[in-house]
Amino acid sequence: MKQLITALLFFCTVAISAQNKTIAAGEKLVFSATYNMSGILNEIAQVTMETSEVKTSKSTLLKLKCTAATYSKWDSFFKIRDLYESYVNPSSLKPYLYNRDIYEGGYEKRMKYKFNHKTRTVDSEKRKKNRQDEYWTEKNKVRIGSNTRDLVSTLYHIRNLDIDKASVGDRQNFTIIFDNEERNVTITYVSKETINTALGRKECYKLSIGLANSDVLQGSQNNLIWLTADKNKIPVYAKFKIPVGNGELKIKSASGLKY
């Protein structure tokens, strides 16, 4: 179960460097997360993705925020309260600061990244709780590639890809940094498909996702995501498989869209 929310977030990490033409401040997407328990899919959590404008003394940034929380009836079984957020350049979506603060079934962890794109490094700060309920902090400097980004900022890059120009079978490889390690992800364009969603019947791009050398997602053909085939490219549905089971992510509502 600790891998569940991480798997959900990995679904959208499929992008390359591109100018932001799709994401604006004020957008809010709400999803329901279901998980297979004893052969039955149960709706256990809500995942929310939202954007806002943040002004600093030097510039204006776009804040990308993702939260996940189990519904109250599941909290006694496995309580999840996760926060992932990234502060990015509004035009390029290049990240400057990333925060991750998770609580999953009693497990707590905080990560903070400060990106220096000129030196291609990330100043990382990890904070965890030990068995004696004492917190300890670990700091590192991690070298990254020129196109490496954090998980949340990559969530939004996918929607700036020119998927309409792709052919069936086309692939794109890219890199994210997660838990102080660079991870290689491959996205494959599978087909165009029309499905029923809470937003109505939508024509979608169907993509498969593969994560190299990872115990989070199991097999690329078991992990699929559907994006609306329009200018917004909203993620409306996803199916995933992890070592302890499988589940789905479904859109519940979308507001503040640019188009």
Side-chain angles (χ1 to χ4, degrees), residues 40-103:
I40 300 175
L41 281 173
N42 293 276
E43 189 175 336
I44 65 168
Q46 178 170 293
V47 176
T48 304
M49 298 170 63
E50 49 194 328
T51 66
S52 60
E53 188 177 85
V54 176
K55 292 184 180 295
T56 71
S57 59
K58 296 182 179 180
S59 61
T60 298
L61 303 177
L62 187 62
K63 180 181 178 181
L64 311 174
K65 179 182 177 182
C66 181
T67 58
T70 43
Y71 298 116
S72 57
K73 67 178 181 179
W74 295 105
D75 282 348
S76 59
F77 174 66
F78 192 86
K79 183 177 180 180
I80 293 173
R81 295 293 186 274
D82 287 356
L83 167 67
Y84 296 76
E85 58 186 2
S86 184
Y87 295 80
V88 303
N89 180 296
S91 298
S92 65
L93 299 186
K94 184 171 288 188
Y96 296 113
L97 178 67
Y98 166 81
N99 290 310
R100 176 188 176 202
D101 190 348
I102 65 172
Y103 178 94

Short mmCIF file of all heavy atoms in Angstrom, two decimals, residues 40-103:
data_model
loop_
_atom_site.label_atom_id
_atom_site.label_comp_id
_atom_site.label_asym_id
_atom_site.label_seq_id
_atom_site.Cartn_x
_atom_site.Cartn_y
_atom_site.Cartn_z
N ILE A 40 -11.96 -7.12 -5.50
CA ILE A 40 -12.97 -6.06 -5.64
C ILE A 40 -12.29 -4.70 -5.63
O ILE A 40 -11.46 -4.41 -4.77
CB ILE A 40 -13.99 -6.13 -4.49
CG1 ILE A 40 -14.70 -7.48 -4.49
CG2 ILE A 40 -15.01 -5.00 -4.62
CD1 ILE A 40 -15.64 -7.68 -3.31
N LEU A 41 -12.62 -3.85 -6.62
CA LEU A 41 -12.07 -2.50 -6.66
C LEU A 41 -12.83 -1.61 -5.67
O LEU A 41 -14.04 -1.45 -5.74
CB LEU A 41 -12.19 -1.91 -8.07
CG LEU A 41 -11.14 -2.37 -9.08
CD1 LEU A 41 -11.49 -1.84 -10.47
CD2 LEU A 41 -9.75 -1.89 -8.67
N ASN A 42 -12.09 -1.03 -4.73
CA ASN A 42 -12.67 -0.15 -3.73
C ASN A 42 -12.14 1.26 -3.92
O ASN A 42 -10.94 1.47 -4.10
CB ASN A 42 -12.32 -0.63 -2.32
CG ASN A 42 -12.98 -1.95 -1.97
OD1 ASN A 42 -14.13 -1.99 -1.55
ND2 ASN A 42 -12.25 -3.05 -2.14
N GLU A 43 -13.03 2.25 -3.86
CA GLU A 43 -12.61 3.65 -3.94
C GLU A 43 -12.07 4.05 -2.58
O GLU A 43 -12.80 4.11 -1.59
CB GLU A 43 -13.80 4.53 -4.33
CG GLU A 43 -13.42 5.96 -4.64
CD GLU A 43 -14.60 6.78 -5.14
OE1 GLU A 43 -15.55 6.19 -5.66
OE2 GLU A 43 -14.55 8.01 -4.99
N ILE A 44 -10.76 4.33 -2.50
CA ILE A 44 -10.14 4.53 -1.19
C ILE A 44 -9.60 5.94 -0.95
O ILE A 44 -9.37 6.33 0.19
CB ILE A 44 -9.00 3.52 -0.95
CG1 ILE A 44 -7.86 3.77 -1.93
CG2 ILE A 44 -9.49 2.09 -1.04
CD1 ILE A 44 -6.60 3.01 -1.58
N ALA A 45 -9.34 6.71 -2.02
CA ALA A 45 -8.67 8.00 -1.81
C ALA A 45 -9.06 9.02 -2.87
O ALA A 45 -9.57 8.68 -3.93
CB ALA A 45 -7.15 7.80 -1.81
N GLN A 46 -8.81 10.26 -2.53
CA GLN A 46 -9.00 11.36 -3.48
C GLN A 46 -7.65 11.99 -3.77
O GLN A 46 -6.86 12.25 -2.87
CB GLN A 46 -9.95 12.42 -2.92
CG GLN A 46 -10.14 13.62 -3.86
CD GLN A 46 -11.25 14.54 -3.40
OE1 GLN A 46 -12.43 14.15 -3.42
NE2 GLN A 46 -10.91 15.75 -3.00
N VAL A 47 -7.39 12.23 -5.06
CA VAL A 47 -6.16 12.89 -5.50
C VAL A 47 -6.56 14.21 -6.16
O VAL A 47 -7.45 14.25 -7.01
CB VAL A 47 -5.38 12.02 -6.51
CG1 VAL A 47 -4.15 12.76 -7.03
CG2 VAL A 47 -4.97 10.70 -5.85
N THR A 48 -5.93 15.30 -5.74
CA THR A 48 -6.25 16.63 -6.26
C THR A 48 -5.00 17.28 -6.83
O THR A 48 -3.95 17.29 -6.19
CB THR A 48 -6.84 17.53 -5.16
OG1 THR A 48 -7.98 16.90 -4.58
CG2 THR A 48 -7.24 18.89 -5.72
N MET A 49 -5.12 17.82 -8.03
CA MET A 49 -4.04 18.55 -8.67
C MET A 49 -4.52 19.98 -8.93
O MET A 49 -5.56 20.17 -9.55
CB MET A 49 -3.62 17.88 -9.98
CG MET A 49 -3.09 16.46 -9.81
SD MET A 49 -2.87 15.59 -11.41
CE MET A 49 -1.62 16.63 -12.17
N GLU A 50 -3.78 20.98 -8.46
CA GLU A 50 -4.21 22.36 -8.66
C GLU A 50 -3.01 23.29 -8.85
O GLU A 50 -1.90 23.01 -8.41
CB GLU A 50 -5.08 22.83 -7.49
CG GLU A 50 -4.51 22.57 -6.13
CD GLU A 50 -5.56 22.76 -5.03
OE1 GLU A 50 -6.45 23.62 -5.19
OE2 GLU A 50 -5.49 22.04 -4.02
N THR A 51 -3.27 24.39 -9.54
CA THR A 51 -2.21 25.35 -9.87
C THR A 51 -2.58 26.73 -9.33
O THR A 51 -3.76 27.09 -9.24
CB THR A 51 -2.01 25.44 -11.38
OG1 THR A 51 -3.19 26.00 -11.98
CG2 THR A 51 -1.73 24.08 -11.99
N SER A 52 -1.55 27.52 -8.99
CA SER A 52 -1.77 28.88 -8.52
C SER A 52 -0.55 29.74 -8.82
O SER A 52 0.55 29.21 -9.03
CB SER A 52 -2.07 28.91 -7.01
OG SER A 52 -0.98 28.36 -6.28
N GLU A 53 -0.74 31.04 -8.84
CA GLU A 53 0.34 31.98 -9.11
C GLU A 53 0.97 32.42 -7.80
O GLU A 53 0.27 32.72 -6.84
CB GLU A 53 -0.21 33.19 -9.87
CG GLU A 53 0.83 34.16 -10.37
CD GLU A 53 0.22 35.29 -11.16
OE1 GLU A 53 -0.20 36.29 -10.54
OE2 GLU A 53 0.15 35.18 -12.41
N VAL A 54 2.30 32.45 -7.76
CA VAL A 54 3.03 32.88 -6.57
C VAL A 54 4.01 33.98 -6.96
O VAL A 54 4.86 33.77 -7.84
CB VAL A 54 3.80 31.69 -5.93
CG1 VAL A 54 4.63 32.18 -4.76
CG2 VAL A 54 2.83 30.60 -5.49
N LYS A 55 3.88 35.13 -6.32
CA LYS A 55 4.77 36.26 -6.62
C LYS A 55 5.89 36.32 -5.58
O LYS A 55 5.64 36.25 -4.38
CB LYS A 55 3.99 37.57 -6.62
CG LYS A 55 3.00 37.70 -7.77
CD LYS A 55 2.35 39.06 -7.78
CE LYS A 55 1.37 39.21 -8.92
NZ LYS A 55 2.03 39.16 -10.23
N THR A 56 7.13 36.43 -6.04
CA THR A 56 8.28 36.63 -5.18
C THR A 56 8.83 38.03 -5.42
O THR A 56 8.32 38.77 -6.26
CB THR A 56 9.37 35.58 -5.46
OG1 THR A 56 9.97 35.85 -6.73
CG2 THR A 56 8.78 34.17 -5.47
N SER A 57 9.89 38.38 -4.71
CA SER A 57 10.49 39.71 -4.89
C SER A 57 11.14 39.86 -6.25
O SER A 57 11.35 40.98 -6.73
CB SER A 57 11.52 39.97 -3.79
OG SER A 57 12.54 38.98 -3.81
N LYS A 58 11.48 38.73 -6.89
CA LYS A 58 12.20 38.79 -8.17
C LYS A 58 11.37 38.33 -9.37
O LYS A 58 11.66 38.73 -10.50
CB LYS A 58 13.46 37.93 -8.08
CG LYS A 58 14.48 38.43 -7.06
CD LYS A 58 15.71 37.56 -7.06
CE LYS A 58 16.74 38.06 -6.07
NZ LYS A 58 17.97 37.22 -6.05
N SER A 59 10.37 37.49 -9.14
CA SER A 59 9.64 36.95 -10.28
C SER A 59 8.28 36.42 -9.86
O SER A 59 7.93 36.39 -8.68
CB SER A 59 10.45 35.83 -10.93
OG SER A 59 10.67 34.78 -9.99
N THR A 60 7.52 35.99 -10.86
CA THR A 60 6.24 35.33 -10.63
C THR A 60 6.37 33.87 -11.05
O THR A 60 6.80 33.56 -12.16
CB THR A 60 5.12 35.99 -11.45
OG1 THR A 60 4.98 37.35 -11.04
CG2 THR A 60 3.80 35.28 -11.24
N LEU A 61 6.02 32.97 -10.13
CA LEU A 61 6.15 31.53 -10.38
C LEU A 61 4.77 30.88 -10.45
O LEU A 61 3.78 31.46 -10.01
CB LEU A 61 6.97 30.87 -9.27
CG LEU A 61 8.38 31.39 -9.04
CD1 LEU A 61 9.03 30.67 -7.86
CD2 LEU A 61 9.22 31.26 -10.28
N LEU A 62 4.74 29.69 -11.00
CA LEU A 62 3.53 28.89 -11.03
C LEU A 62 3.71 27.75 -10.02
O LEU A 62 4.69 27.01 -10.09
CB LEU A 62 3.30 28.33 -12.43
CG LEU A 62 1.98 27.59 -12.68
CD1 LEU A 62 0.79 28.53 -12.49
CD2 LEU A 62 1.96 26.99 -14.10
N LYS A 63 2.79 27.66 -9.09
CA LYS A 63 2.84 26.59 -8.09
C LYS A 63 1.98 25.43 -8.56
O LYS A 63 0.80 25.59 -8.86
CB LYS A 63 2.33 27.10 -6.74
CG LYS A 63 2.34 26.05 -5.63
CD LYS A 63 1.79 26.65 -4.35
CE LYS A 63 1.75 25.61 -3.24
NZ LYS A 63 1.18 26.18 -1.98
N LEU A 64 2.59 24.24 -8.62
CA LEU A 64 1.90 23.02 -9.02
C LEU A 64 1.78 22.13 -7.78
O LEU A 64 2.78 21.72 -7.21
CB LEU A 64 2.70 22.29 -10.10
CG LEU A 64 3.16 23.14 -11.29
CD1 LEU A 64 4.05 22.30 -12.21
CD2 LEU A 64 1.97 23.70 -12.06
N LYS A 65 0.57 21.86 -7.38
CA LYS A 65 0.34 21.16 -6.12
C LYS A 65 -0.49 19.91 -6.33
O LYS A 65 -1.51 19.93 -7.02
CB LYS A 65 -0.37 22.10 -5.14
CG LYS A 65 -0.70 21.50 -3.79
CD LYS A 65 -1.44 22.53 -2.94
CE LYS A 65 -1.87 21.97 -1.60
NZ LYS A 65 -2.64 22.98 -0.82
N CYS A 66 -0.05 18.81 -5.73
CA CYS A 66 -0.78 17.55 -5.79
C CYS A 66 -0.93 16.98 -4.38
O CYS A 66 0.05 16.85 -3.66
CB CYS A 66 -0.04 16.55 -6.68
SG CYS A 66 -0.90 14.97 -6.84
N THR A 67 -2.16 16.67 -3.99
CA THR A 67 -2.41 16.09 -2.68
C THR A 67 -3.17 14.77 -2.84
O THR A 67 -3.93 14.59 -3.80
CB THR A 67 -3.23 17.03 -1.78
OG1 THR A 67 -4.48 17.34 -2.43
CG2 THR A 67 -2.47 18.30 -1.50
N ALA A 68 -2.95 13.87 -1.91
CA ALA A 68 -3.66 12.59 -1.89
C ALA A 68 -4.07 12.28 -0.47
O ALA A 68 -3.27 12.42 0.45
CB ALA A 68 -2.77 11.48 -2.45
N ALA A 69 -5.32 11.88 -0.29
CA ALA A 69 -5.82 11.58 1.05
C ALA A 69 -6.84 10.45 0.98
O ALA A 69 -7.75 10.48 0.14
CB ALA A 69 -6.45 12.81 1.69
N THR A 70 -6.70 9.46 1.84
CA THR A 70 -7.69 8.40 1.93
C THR A 70 -8.98 8.98 2.49
O THR A 70 -8.97 9.93 3.28
CB THR A 70 -7.20 7.26 2.83
OG1 THR A 70 -6.58 7.80 4.01
CG2 THR A 70 -6.19 6.39 2.12
N TYR A 71 -10.10 8.39 2.07
CA TYR A 71 -11.38 8.76 2.66
C TYR A 71 -11.40 8.30 4.11
O TYR A 71 -10.74 7.32 4.49
CB TYR A 71 -12.52 8.14 1.86
CG TYR A 71 -12.59 8.61 0.43
CD1 TYR A 71 -12.40 7.73 -0.62
CD2 TYR A 71 -12.81 9.95 0.13
CE1 TYR A 71 -12.45 8.15 -1.94
CE2 TYR A 71 -12.86 10.39 -1.18
CZ TYR A 71 -12.68 9.50 -2.20
OH TYR A 71 -12.72 9.94 -3.51
N SER A 72 -12.16 9.00 4.95
CA SER A 72 -12.13 8.78 6.40
C SER A 72 -12.39 7.32 6.80
O SER A 72 -11.80 6.81 7.76
CB SER A 72 -13.13 9.70 7.10
OG SER A 72 -14.44 9.49 6.59
N LYS A 73 -13.26 6.62 6.05
CA LYS A 73 -13.58 5.24 6.44
C LYS A 73 -12.40 4.29 6.26
O LYS A 73 -12.42 3.17 6.80
CB LYS A 73 -14.79 4.74 5.65
CG LYS A 73 -14.56 4.56 4.16
CD LYS A 73 -15.82 4.01 3.49
CE LYS A 73 -15.62 3.79 2.00
NZ LYS A 73 -16.84 3.22 1.37
N TRP A 74 -11.37 4.72 5.47
CA TRP A 74 -10.20 3.89 5.25
C TRP A 74 -9.03 4.30 6.14
O TRP A 74 -8.01 3.60 6.18
CB TRP A 74 -9.76 3.95 3.79
CG TRP A 74 -10.74 3.38 2.84
CD1 TRP A 74 -11.58 4.06 2.00
CD2 TRP A 74 -11.03 1.99 2.62
NE1 TRP A 74 -12.36 3.21 1.28
CE2 TRP A 74 -12.04 1.92 1.64
CE3 TRP A 74 -10.54 0.81 3.17
CZ2 TRP A 74 -12.57 0.71 1.20
CZ3 TRP A 74 -11.05 -0.40 2.71
CH2 TRP A 74 -12.05 -0.44 1.75
N ASP A 75 -9.15 5.40 6.85
CA ASP A 75 -8.02 5.91 7.64
C ASP A 75 -7.56 4.93 8.72
O ASP A 75 -6.36 4.83 9.00
CB ASP A 75 -8.37 7.25 8.30
CG ASP A 75 -8.29 8.41 7.33
OD1 ASP A 75 -7.76 8.23 6.23
OD2 ASP A 75 -8.77 9.51 7.68
N SER A 76 -8.48 4.20 9.31
CA SER A 76 -8.09 3.25 10.36
C SER A 76 -7.34 2.05 9.77
O SER A 76 -6.59 1.37 10.47
CB SER A 76 -9.32 2.77 11.14
OG SER A 76 -10.25 2.14 10.26
N PHE A 77 -7.57 1.79 8.48
CA PHE A 77 -6.91 0.67 7.81
C PHE A 77 -5.53 1.09 7.30
O PHE A 77 -4.52 0.43 7.58
CB PHE A 77 -7.77 0.19 6.64
CG PHE A 77 -7.12 -0.86 5.80
CD1 PHE A 77 -6.84 -2.12 6.31
CD2 PHE A 77 -6.76 -0.59 4.49
CE1 PHE A 77 -6.23 -3.09 5.53
CE2 PHE A 77 -6.16 -1.55 3.70
CZ PHE A 77 -5.89 -2.80 4.23
N PHE A 78 -5.47 2.21 6.55
CA PHE A 78 -4.19 2.70 6.05
C PHE A 78 -4.37 4.18 5.69
O PHE A 78 -4.83 4.50 4.61
CB PHE A 78 -3.74 1.90 4.82
CG PHE A 78 -2.32 2.17 4.41
CD1 PHE A 78 -1.27 1.47 4.98
CD2 PHE A 78 -2.02 3.13 3.45
CE1 PHE A 78 0.04 1.70 4.62
CE2 PHE A 78 -0.71 3.37 3.07
CZ PHE A 78 0.33 2.65 3.66
N LYS A 79 -4.01 5.05 6.60
CA LYS A 79 -4.21 6.49 6.42
C LYS A 79 -3.13 7.09 5.54
O LYS A 79 -1.94 6.88 5.75
CB LYS A 79 -4.21 7.18 7.78
CG LYS A 79 -4.50 8.68 7.71
CD LYS A 79 -4.56 9.27 9.10
CE LYS A 79 -4.86 10.75 9.08
NZ LYS A 79 -4.91 11.32 10.44
N ILE A 80 -3.57 7.85 4.53
CA ILE A 80 -2.65 8.54 3.63
C ILE A 80 -2.95 10.03 3.63
O ILE A 80 -4.10 10.44 3.46
CB ILE A 80 -2.77 8.01 2.18
CG1 ILE A 80 -2.30 6.56 2.11
CG2 ILE A 80 -1.98 8.87 1.20
CD1 ILE A 80 -2.54 5.91 0.76
N ARG A 81 -1.92 10.83 3.83
CA ARG A 81 -2.00 12.28 3.71
C ARG A 81 -0.70 12.74 3.04
O ARG A 81 0.31 12.95 3.71
CB ARG A 81 -2.16 12.96 5.07
CG ARG A 81 -3.44 12.65 5.81
CD ARG A 81 -4.66 13.21 5.11
NE ARG A 81 -5.87 13.02 5.90
CZ ARG A 81 -6.62 11.92 5.88
NH1 ARG A 81 -6.27 10.91 5.08
NH2 ARG A 81 -7.71 11.84 6.61
N ASP A 82 -0.73 12.85 1.73
CA ASP A 82 0.48 13.16 0.96
C ASP A 82 0.38 14.53 0.31
O ASP A 82 -0.69 14.91 -0.20
CB ASP A 82 0.71 12.12 -0.14
CG ASP A 82 1.18 10.79 0.42
OD1 ASP A 82 1.39 10.69 1.64
OD2 ASP A 82 1.33 9.83 -0.38
N LEU A 83 1.49 15.24 0.29
CA LEU A 83 1.59 16.53 -0.39
C LEU A 83 2.82 16.52 -1.28
O LEU A 83 3.93 16.20 -0.84
CB LEU A 83 1.71 17.67 0.63
CG LEU A 83 2.14 19.04 0.08
CD1 LEU A 83 1.05 19.61 -0.84
CD2 LEU A 83 2.46 20.00 1.21
N TYR A 84 2.63 16.86 -2.54
CA TYR A 84 3.73 17.04 -3.50
C TYR A 84 3.51 18.41 -4.17
O TYR A 84 2.41 18.70 -4.63
CB TYR A 84 3.69 15.97 -4.60
CG TYR A 84 3.92 14.55 -4.15
CD1 TYR A 84 2.91 13.83 -3.50
CD2 TYR A 84 5.13 13.90 -4.41
CE1 TYR A 84 3.11 12.51 -3.11
CE2 TYR A 84 5.33 12.58 -4.03
CZ TYR A 84 4.33 11.90 -3.37
OH TYR A 84 4.52 10.59 -2.99
N GLU A 85 4.54 19.24 -4.22
CA GLU A 85 4.38 20.54 -4.87
C GLU A 85 5.69 20.99 -5.50
O GLU A 85 6.78 20.67 -5.02
CB GLU A 85 3.87 21.58 -3.89
CG GLU A 85 4.74 21.79 -2.68
CD GLU A 85 4.12 22.73 -1.65
OE1 GLU A 85 2.98 23.19 -1.87
OE2 GLU A 85 4.77 23.00 -0.63
N SER A 86 5.55 21.75 -6.59
CA SER A 86 6.70 22.25 -7.32
C SER A 86 6.44 23.69 -7.73
O SER A 86 5.33 24.04 -8.14
CB SER A 86 6.96 21.38 -8.56
OG SER A 86 8.13 21.80 -9.23
N TYR A 87 7.48 24.54 -7.58
CA TYR A 87 7.41 25.93 -7.99
C TYR A 87 8.23 26.07 -9.27
O TYR A 87 9.43 25.79 -9.27
CB TYR A 87 7.95 26.84 -6.89
CG TYR A 87 7.13 26.81 -5.62
CD1 TYR A 87 7.27 25.76 -4.70
CD2 TYR A 87 6.21 27.80 -5.34
CE1 TYR A 87 6.51 25.72 -3.54
CE2 TYR A 87 5.45 27.78 -4.18
CZ TYR A 87 5.60 26.73 -3.29
OH TYR A 87 4.84 26.69 -2.13
N VAL A 88 7.55 26.49 -10.36
CA VAL A 88 8.18 26.41 -11.67
C VAL A 88 8.07 27.73 -12.42
O VAL A 88 7.27 28.61 -12.10
CB VAL A 88 7.51 25.30 -12.52
CG1 VAL A 88 7.58 23.96 -11.81
CG2 VAL A 88 6.06 25.66 -12.85
N ASN A 89 8.90 27.84 -13.47
CA ASN A 89 8.79 28.94 -14.41
C ASN A 89 7.48 28.77 -15.19
O ASN A 89 7.25 27.71 -15.76
CB ASN A 89 9.99 28.91 -15.36
CG ASN A 89 9.97 30.03 -16.38
OD1 ASN A 89 9.08 30.10 -17.20
ND2 ASN A 89 10.97 30.89 -16.32
N PRO A 90 6.61 29.80 -15.25
CA PRO A 90 5.31 29.65 -15.90
C PRO A 90 5.41 29.33 -17.39
O PRO A 90 4.50 28.72 -17.95
CB PRO A 90 4.64 31.01 -15.68
CG PRO A 90 5.35 31.61 -14.52
CD PRO A 90 6.76 31.13 -14.63
N SER A 91 6.49 29.75 -18.05
CA SER A 91 6.62 29.54 -19.49
C SER A 91 7.21 28.18 -19.84
O SER A 91 6.73 27.48 -20.73
CB SER A 91 7.47 30.64 -20.11
OG SER A 91 6.87 31.91 -19.94
N SER A 92 8.27 27.79 -19.13
CA SER A 92 8.96 26.54 -19.46
C SER A 92 8.59 25.38 -18.53
O SER A 92 8.92 24.23 -18.82
CB SER A 92 10.47 26.75 -19.39
OG SER A 92 10.87 27.04 -18.05
N LEU A 93 7.93 25.68 -17.40
CA LEU A 93 7.63 24.71 -16.36
C LEU A 93 8.90 24.10 -15.76
O LEU A 93 8.85 23.03 -15.15
CB LEU A 93 6.70 23.60 -16.87
CG LEU A 93 5.32 24.04 -17.37
CD1 LEU A 93 4.46 22.82 -17.70
CD2 LEU A 93 4.61 24.92 -16.36
N LYS A 94 10.02 24.77 -15.92
CA LYS A 94 11.27 24.30 -15.32
C LYS A 94 11.20 24.54 -13.81
O LYS A 94 10.93 25.65 -13.36
CB LYS A 94 12.46 25.02 -15.93
CG LYS A 94 13.81 24.52 -15.43
CD LYS A 94 14.95 25.12 -16.24
CE LYS A 94 15.02 24.52 -17.63
NZ LYS A 94 16.23 24.94 -18.36
N PRO A 95 11.48 23.53 -12.98
CA PRO A 95 11.32 23.67 -11.53
C PRO A 95 12.48 24.40 -10.85
O PRO A 95 13.64 24.28 -11.25
CB PRO A 95 11.27 22.22 -11.05
CG PRO A 95 12.10 21.47 -12.05
CD PRO A 95 11.86 22.15 -13.37
N TYR A 96 12.13 25.16 -9.81
CA TYR A 96 13.12 25.81 -8.95
C TYR A 96 13.13 25.19 -7.56
O TYR A 96 14.18 25.04 -6.95
CB TYR A 96 12.82 27.30 -8.84
CG TYR A 96 12.94 28.05 -10.13
CD1 TYR A 96 11.83 28.62 -10.74
CD2 TYR A 96 14.17 28.19 -10.77
CE1 TYR A 96 11.93 29.30 -11.95
CE2 TYR A 96 14.29 28.88 -11.97
CZ TYR A 96 13.17 29.42 -12.55
OH TYR A 96 13.28 30.09 -13.74
N LEU A 97 11.94 24.82 -7.07
CA LEU A 97 11.82 24.26 -5.73
C LEU A 97 10.76 23.16 -5.74
O LEU A 97 9.70 23.30 -6.36
CB LEU A 97 11.42 25.35 -4.74
CG LEU A 97 11.20 24.92 -3.28
CD1 LEU A 97 12.52 24.47 -2.65
CD2 LEU A 97 10.58 26.06 -2.47
N TYR A 98 11.07 22.06 -5.04
CA TYR A 98 10.16 20.93 -4.96
C TYR A 98 10.04 20.48 -3.51
O TYR A 98 11.05 20.38 -2.79
CB TYR A 98 10.69 19.79 -5.83
CG TYR A 98 10.05 18.43 -5.60
CD1 TYR A 98 8.83 18.11 -6.18
CD2 TYR A 98 10.68 17.46 -4.82
CE1 TYR A 98 8.26 16.86 -6.00
CE2 TYR A 98 10.12 16.21 -4.64
CZ TYR A 98 8.91 15.91 -5.23
OH TYR A 98 8.36 14.67 -5.05
N ASN A 99 8.81 20.22 -3.07
CA ASN A 99 8.57 19.72 -1.72
C ASN A 99 7.73 18.45 -1.77
O ASN A 99 6.78 18.36 -2.56
CB ASN A 99 7.82 20.76 -0.88
CG ASN A 99 8.66 21.95 -0.53
OD1 ASN A 99 9.79 21.81 -0.05
ND2 ASN A 99 8.13 23.14 -0.77
N ARG A 100 8.08 17.50 -0.94
CA ARG A 100 7.30 16.28 -0.79
C ARG A 100 7.16 15.99 0.70
O ARG A 100 8.15 15.89 1.43
CB ARG A 100 8.02 15.12 -1.49
CG ARG A 100 7.34 13.76 -1.33
CD ARG A 100 8.25 12.67 -1.90
NE ARG A 100 7.72 11.34 -1.70
CZ ARG A 100 8.46 10.24 -1.71
NH1 ARG A 100 9.77 10.33 -1.90
NH2 ARG A 100 7.92 9.06 -1.53
N ASP A 101 5.92 15.90 1.18
CA ASP A 101 5.64 15.66 2.59
C ASP A 101 4.59 14.57 2.67
O ASP A 101 3.42 14.81 2.35
CB ASP A 101 5.14 16.95 3.26
CG ASP A 101 5.05 16.84 4.77
OD1 ASP A 101 5.16 15.71 5.29
OD2 ASP A 101 4.86 17.88 5.43
N ILE A 102 4.99 13.37 3.04
CA ILE A 102 4.06 12.24 3.00
C ILE A 102 3.85 11.60 4.37
O ILE A 102 4.74 11.55 5.21
CB ILE A 102 4.53 11.15 2.01
CG1 ILE A 102 5.85 10.53 2.46
CG2 ILE A 102 4.67 11.74 0.61
CD1 ILE A 102 6.27 9.32 1.61
N TYR A 103 2.62 11.12 4.56
CA TYR A 103 2.25 10.31 5.71
C TYR A 103 1.45 9.14 5.15
O TYR A 103 0.35 9.33 4.61
CB TYR A 103 1.41 11.09 6.71
CG TYR A 103 0.96 10.26 7.90
CD1 TYR A 103 1.71 10.26 9.08
CD2 TYR A 103 -0.18 9.47 7.84
CE1 TYR A 103 1.31 9.48 10.17
CE2 TYR A 103 -0.57 8.68 8.91
CZ TYR A 103 0.18 8.70 10.06
OH TYR A 103 -0.20 7.92 11.15
#
